[in-house]
Amino acid sequence: MSSRRQFLKYSAVFAASSTALSLSAQQLESPVGSAATVARDEHFWHAVRSQFDVQNDIINLEQGYWGKMANPVQQAFFEHTKKVNHAMSWYVRKQYKADFLAARESVADALKVKTHEIMLTRNATESFVNLITQFNDFKAGDEILWADIDYPAYQDMMVWLSDSRNVKGHELSLPASGTDDDYIDVYRKAFERNPRIKLMLLTHVSNQHGLVMPVKRIAQLAREHGIYVICDTAQSWGLLDFTPDELGVDWATFNLHKWIGSPVGVGALYMREQTLAPVMPFPGEDPGDNDVANRVHLATSDFASFLSVPDALAFHHKIGGKNKEARLRYLWESWTLPLRENPEVEILGAASSDNASGMGGFRLKGKTSPEENQVLQKRLEEDFGIFTVVRNDLSSGSNIRVTPQIFTPVAHMQKLAEAITTIAG
């Protein structure tokens, strides 16, 4: 079957699930049915779309930078901002501590962890900085490990850690696309080849192309080699439905302002109970290894953003984590499957839905330079009205990242697939 016929075949399948719906606001009812059923319920997702102040002048498929607040969350944020701005220090010094604890407890409850295992921060990067700058368990000859799919700023900080602590650093180049077993094999060989690795960074969902790594299996291998695992879940919570216990890692860094939908400026640091000792308390904080809170100092932060966390989680739970995960993966399938057999298009990251998230990446065959992909991104935007972003940090070369959101219609993904087919020729 030609790539063109394959494209038309899959386009017809996804088109059949999409109907013309008005954009009038409507009451959001809880979804009914399995996640697989809900993922294809266009009427439900249209109702979800009505809960957001959506952008209609362009098809925005660069939703991975940060997440749009739903209208109820945005309204709550406005009210919290007014409250803080009105009472100022009177409120913060007398009431905010209890309200912040309630927000922290809501995250702990959602992640099914103990409150003293989770602390809110301003973003995942801050959480990561706390971990690596306060890590105090290196000995002479120890080594560290990271990979090309990791967040670029995290990679830079791992290089800094290697240089500043005089520990040898290893960067893995992972396959541009593959199965869980392909990636596990790379890590297994790295652990066997470098028995002095003491600390590693492991990404749950790559910001480069949306690949879902088999974190639990890799973390188990790492544990067998005595390696501490920092898991970057900045892009995964809310994109995927999971708990830290299901990942089996020591520590994890979160963002709530991506897929959970909080206001910008909310992250979290998870440290599993009885794993705090290798990471010193933040300078000046109370000593002790029983509460992750003393590994962080928030200083003066956006109080209203933290107060809005329970509101964001309430909206997240209303839709359902499993439903969001299934819907976003369905959107990924709706543009990647029609293109999968096109010899002029390379789909990066996940080899199938088994290790895919709602994020994805592609490039034209042989077009791996930043300049070539910038031209491609510009053409999608200017000729087809589709906004994406170029990612440049994979060992295999640059690619275009595609990131829809839960309010993105299937029709937008079909337009992307059609545009890529046209450009590929």
Side-chain angles (χ1 to χ4, degrees):
M1 180 180 290
S2 69
S3 59
R4 181 64 182 174
R5 287 175 61 197
Q6 188 76 0
F7 171 81
L8 293 173
K9 168 191 170 184
Y10 281 112
S11 292
V13 170
F14 288 103
S17 69
S18 180
T19 58
L21 299 169
S22 69
L23 294 179
S24 59
Q26 52 188 281
Q27 180 66 34
L28 180 63
E29 301 292 340
S30 297
V32 178
S34 68
T37 299
V38 173
R40 291 158 174 78
D41 183 352
E42 297 306 318
H43 286 277
F44 172 72
W45 295 105
H46 170 67
V48 170
R49 183 173 173 83
S50 75
Q51 303 296 304
F52 290 85
D53 181 15
V54 295
Q55 183 181 20
N56 290 314
D57 55 340
I58 195 168
I59 295 176
N60 190 339
L61 299 181
E62 163 42 357
Q63 302 286 346
Y65 197 166
W66 75 90
K68 187 189 293 290
M69 285 181 281
N71 292 338
V73 180
Q74 180 175 252
Q75 185 59 41
F77 176 56
F78 290 162
E79 294 301 321
H80 294 314
T81 299
K82 287 170 60 178
K83 175 181 178 179
V84 173
N85 195 54
H86 173 73
M88 297 181 68
S89 57
W90 173 267
Y91 163 72
V92 172
R93 296 197 184 280
K94 290 182 172 291
Q95 300 176 32
Y96 177 68
K97 184 177 180 180
D99 290 344
F100 179 86
L101 178 59
R104 184 182 171 195
E105 288 173 340
S106 72
V107 175
D109 182 64
L111 288 172
K112 295 181 172 55
V113 301
K114 299 172 183 176
T115 303
H116 63 260
E117 293 180 303
I118 197 85
M119 178 58 178
L120 299 184
T121 63
R122 284 165 286 205
N123 50 63
T125 300
E126 179 178 56
S127 302
F128 186 68
V129 169
N130 289 130
L131 287 172
I132 67 167
T133 59
Q134 294 159 223
F135 185 82
N136 194 37
D137 198 25
F138 284 129
K139 299 179 178 61
D142 284 343
E143 302 174 359
I144 61 176
L145 179 74
W146 66 95
D148 66 328
I149 69 165
D150 295 329
Y151 184 54
Y154 282 25
Q155 294 186 52
D156 292 342
M157 285 186 276
M158 291 296 280
V159 173
W160 169 86
L161 184 63
S162 173
D163 293 341
S164 65
R165 300 295 182 85
N166 195 30
V167 293
K168 186 176 181 179
H170 302 278
E171 179 182 344
L172 293 179
S173 295
L174 300 181
S177 181
T179 65
D180 283 356
D181 287 341
D182 293 329
Y183 296 109
I184 291 168
D185 188 55
V186 173
Y187 278 94
R188 179 186 291 108
K189 290 177 180 177
F191 297 157
E192 293 172 352
R193 189 168 56 247
N194 305 289
R196 301 299 300 272
I197 295 173
K198 185 65 167 288
L199 175 70
M200 68 175 289
L201 169 61
L202 180 59
T203 293
H204 192 193
V205 173
S206 174
N207 77 97
Q208 297 291 303
H209 47 35
L211 173 72
V212 180
M213 291 293 289
V215 168
K216 186 172 185 178
R217 294 172 64 187
I218 295 173
Q220 178 59 41
L221 286 174
R223 186 174 298 110
E224 293 170 3
H225 288 80
I227 301 170
Y228 293 110
V229 178
I230 301 175
C231 187
D232 174 13
T233 60
Q235 279 287 7
S236 59
W237 189 32
L239 180 66
L240 305 178
D241 189 58
F242 69 95
T243 66
D245 185 60
E246 292 169 339
L247 298 181
V249 298
D250 300 299
W251 311 312
T253 64
F254 290 86
N255 276 324
L256 278 74
H257 55 228
K258 288 188 184 285
W259 300 99
I260 294 299
S262 79
V264 171
V266 183
L269 171 61
Y270 165 76
M271 300 183 73
R272 182 165 46 82
E273 196 171 37
Q274 298 183 344
T275 69
L276 276 68
V279 180
M280 296 184 298
F282 190 92
E285 290 293 306
D286 293 336
D289 298 331
N290 297 320
D291 192 335
V292 65
N294 70 355
R295 266 57 179 180
V296 174
H297 192 289
L298 284 177
T300 303
S301 307
D302 191 331
F303 305 111
S305 289
F306 289 116
L307 292 175
S308 303
V309 166
D311 303 290
L313 284 170
F315 188 83
H316 169 76
H317 293 318
K318 178 78 171 179
I319 298 172
K322 292 187 184 301
N323 293 327
K324 288 174 65 173
E325 176 180 341
R327 173 62 175 184
L328 289 163
R329 187 174 289 116
Y330 176 65
L331 293 178
W332 175 85
E333 292 171 344
S334 70
W335 72 271
T336 59
L337 291 181
L339 296 168
R340 184 65 72 175
E341 295 187 25
N342 189 325
E344 300 304 319
V345 179
E346 183 180 0
I347 304 297
L348 278 73
S352 71
S353 298
D354 293 339
N355 60 341
S357 66
M359 300 173 66
F362 81 96
R363 60 190 171 213
L364 299 183
K365 187 73 172 180
K367 306 293 186 180
T368 60
S369 71
E371 295 77 16
E372 288 169 320
N373 282 278
Q374 287 163 6
V375 169
L376 177 56
Q377 185 276 330
K378 186 175 181 181
R379 185 170 179 193
L380 283 170
E381 181 179 343
E382 296 183 353
D383 293 356
F384 299 92
I386 300 172
F387 184 58
T388 55
V389 68
V390 179
R391 300 286 80 182
N392 294 315
D393 289 276
L394 296 176
S395 298
S396 66
S398 297
N399 77 116
I400 301 289
R401 187 180 77 186
V402 176
T403 314
Q405 249 286 4
I406 56 173
F407 49 76
T408 303
V410 171
H412 286 186
M413 311 314 298
Q414 293 171 327
K415 289 180 179 179
L416 172 68
E418 292 165 2
I420 295 171
T421 300
T422 300
I423 294 171

